Amino acid sequence: MSRNNSRAFHASRALRTPLTAVAGSLVLTASLTGCGGSGAAEDKVVTVYSADGLKGVKNDGWYDQVFADFEKDTGIKVKYQEAGSGEMVDRALREKDDTRADLLIVLPPYIQHAERKGLLASYDPKGSDKVHGSVKSADNRWTSVVNNYFGFIYNKKELTDPPATWEELLDSKYKDKIQYSTPGVAGDGTGLLIKAMQDFGGEKPAMDYLAKLEENNVGPTPSTFKLAAKVDKGEILVANGDVQTNFEQSKSMANLGIWFPAKEGGKPTTFAMYYGAGLMEDAPHSGNGKKLLEYMLTEKAQKQVSGIGGGFPARTDVRPTDENAIELAGVIDGVTLFEPNWQRIEPSLDGYVDSWKEATGH
C-alpha cells in the first residue's frame, strides 16, 4: 500500500441502510485445555476467543442470549475469553502448536491477519450464503456474525452541541478530556487510524493530526469498552467506539451520544467494523465449534442482534423491525460509508502502528 494509502479504500457512497457487525464478553468459568479430552463431559464444550462488545454488562447481551440458547438446545457449554482483537489474535498465535480455542471472533483487520497466519480452517457454515461477500472470506475461513460501524461518543450533558470535526477536538476545552483505545491492541483503536487516514488523505497527514491531538489526549488504553463509563460520568468528554457497543451502553448510560467525525469542510464518514468469526485450525472441539458458528447465523439468532445486542444482522435476508433496529437506522442515516481494502491494510498494519507510536510518543 502506498504512503498516501489511496489504494486502500474503495470509493465512498451514501449510507442509507444498515450494513451490519461487532463482538462481546463472558467470564471464563473453567480452565482452557489444549486438546479435547476423552471424557464425555469434556466433549460437551466449545471455547470462544473474542473481541469485547457483544456481552452485556448485566449478562443481558447478544452473546449471553445466544450462548444460553445454544447450551440449552445442544447441551454444549460455551467457555469464553475476551480481550482486544489484537490481543486475542496474538494469544491464538502463541498457542498455534497447542490450539486452545475452537472459534475466533475479532474485528478487521485482525480476522484477516488470523487468516493470513494460518490460524483459521476452511469451513462454509450454513447461513453464510446469506452474508454479503464484503464481510466474509473468499476462501471460507471466516464470516461476519454481527455487523457494526466505527464511531465516536461524547457526553451529551456537558456538550449540548456535539463536536462535528476532528479539528474541534484540538480546542483547549478538551484538554485531558479525550481518550481513545490503543491502535494495534484494540480493534476500535486500530479503526481510529483507518478513519483518520481516510479523512485526512493519507498516513502522514493523519499521524500529524494525531500528534497534535496528544495535547488533549489522556493516553492509550487497551479497552474501548471501558471508555463509555468515563464519558458518561464526565471524566472525559470524547472517546472512540463503535455503534453497536455504544448504542447498547447508552441504554444504561444516559449521557452517551454517538457521532461521526469529519475533516473540516467535509462530511461525516464511517466504515463497517464487523465481527468476523472463524473456526480454528486444529480446533480441540471442531465439531462443536462448527455447531456454534452455524447457531450464530441462524435466523433466530440474527433477529436478536438488534433487539438484544444493539447491532446489525450479518445476514442480508434478516431485516429486523424492532425498536432498536429503527433507532439504529436513524443513528447512521446520512453518514457516508467508505470501504477499507483490508487485504491491503492488514500487511501494513504494523507499520501504521509504528508510525502512530512515533507520532504520539507512546
Side-chain angles (χ1 to χ4, degrees):
M1 183 164 158
S2 63
R3 192 69 175 170
N4 66 9
N5 43 263
S6 60
R7 296 165 60 194
F9 304 96
H10 298 165
S12 299
R13 67 174 185 270
L15 178 59
R16 292 186 173 90
T17 56
L19 205 164
T20 29
V22 185
S25 43
L26 258 176
V27 178
L28 185 62
T29 57
S31 61
L32 302 179
T33 56
C35 298
S38 58
E42 289 179 297
D43 290 338
K44 283 290 188 179
V45 298
V46 58
T47 298
V48 178
Y49 282 4
S50 177
D52 57 11
L54 289 179
K55 167 117 179 18
V57 176
K58 299 179 180 179
N59 300 323
D60 56 356
W62 187 70
Y63 271 167
D64 300 288
Q65 185 67 56
V66 171
F67 291 168
D69 290 345
F70 178 73
E71 182 175 353
K72 180 180 179 181
D73 291 349
T74 66
I76 299 170
K77 183 174 181 60
V78 179
K79 295 181 179 181
Y80 181 86
Q81 183 75 32
E82 73 165 26
S85 291
E87 187 175 345
M88 280 286 85
V89 173
D90 285 345
R91 177 170 178 174
L93 282 168
R94 292 194 301 270
E95 298 170 352
K96 191 173 183 181
D97 294 331
D98 182 23
T99 304
R100 310 293 181 90
D102 299 301
L103 287 182
L104 178 69
I105 307 175
V106 291
L107 308 181
Y110 297 99
I111 194 66
Q112 287 85 0
H113 186 61
E115 179 179 15
R116 186 167 68 87
K117 290 295 184 178
L119 290 177
L120 306 178
S122 179
Y123 177 61
D124 187 16
K126 183 179 180 181
S128 65
D129 60 315
K130 304 298 184 181
V131 176
H132 193 276
S134 64
V135 290
K136 65 180 178 181
S137 165
D139 295 329
N140 297 325
R141 302 284 173 174
W142 56 268
T143 178
S144 170
V145 290
V146 174
N147 286 344
N148 188 31
Y149 298 101
F150 177 84
F152 268 59
I153 49 176
Y154 72 100
N155 182 296
K156 295 191 295 186
K157 182 179 179 181
E158 299 293 332
L159 300 173
T160 52
D161 293 320
T165 68
W166 290 101
E167 288 83 0
E168 287 180 56
L169 302 183
L170 301 178
D171 191 284
S172 59
K173 74 177 182 180
Y174 291 109
K175 176 71 174 176
D176 296 328
K177 292 295 184 179
I178 294 172
Q179 190 170 22
Y180 60 88
S181 52
T182 311
V185 175
D188 290 325
T190 302
L192 181 139
L193 294 188
I194 305 306
K195 173 80 161 76
M197 287 191 290
Q198 166 71 16
D199 287 356
F200 286 95
E203 180 180 348
K204 187 179 186 305
M207 300 309 163
D208 288 345
Y209 168 81
L210 292 173
K212 295 176 183 177
L213 188 63
E214 277 305 291
E215 184 69 24
N216 292 339
N217 185 26
V218 174
T221 173
S223 174
T224 313
F225 187 83
K226 295 179 181 179
L227 292 176
K230 297 178 71 174
V231 172
D232 183 59
K233 295 174 184 176
E235 295 176 17
I236 56 176
L237 297 179
V238 172
N240 68 314
D242 61 73
V243 174
Q244 178 272 327
T245 304
N246 297 143
F247 179 83
E248 185 65 14
Q249 290 172 316
S250 70
K251 299 300 183 181
S252 59
M253 300 179 188
N255 295 324
L256 284 191
I258 298 173
W259 68 292
F260 303 92
K263 190 174 183 299
E264 199 167 59
K267 296 181 179 180
T269 64
T270 189
F271 60 96
M273 288 289 284
Y274 48 83
Y275 282 80
L279 180 73
M280 294 291 291
E281 191 74 64
D282 300 321
H285 303 98
S286 177
N288 294 345
K290 291 177 180 179
K291 289 178 181 178
L292 179 56
L293 182 52
E294 292 194 353
Y295 201 89
M296 290 179 171
L297 289 171
T298 60
E299 187 174 349
K300 174 185 175 182
Q302 288 290 299
K303 284 182 176 179
Q304 295 170 332
V305 168
S306 57
I308 296 176
F312 305 86
R315 284 179 50 160
T316 58
D317 63 328
V318 175
R319 299 179 178 87
T321 57
D322 58 85
E323 185 177 339
N324 281 356
I326 295 170
E327 192 172 346
L328 283 162
V331 169
I332 58 176
D333 184 44
V335 181
T336 298
L337 175 70
F338 67 91
E339 297 180 0
N341 186 330
W342 296 113
Q343 297 302 325
R344 292 188 180 277
I345 291 172
E346 183 272 321
S348 303
L349 180 59
D350 287 346
Y352 297 151
V353 174
D354 288 343
S355 294
W356 171 78
K357 289 178 180 177
E358 182 178 351
T360 61
H362 294 301

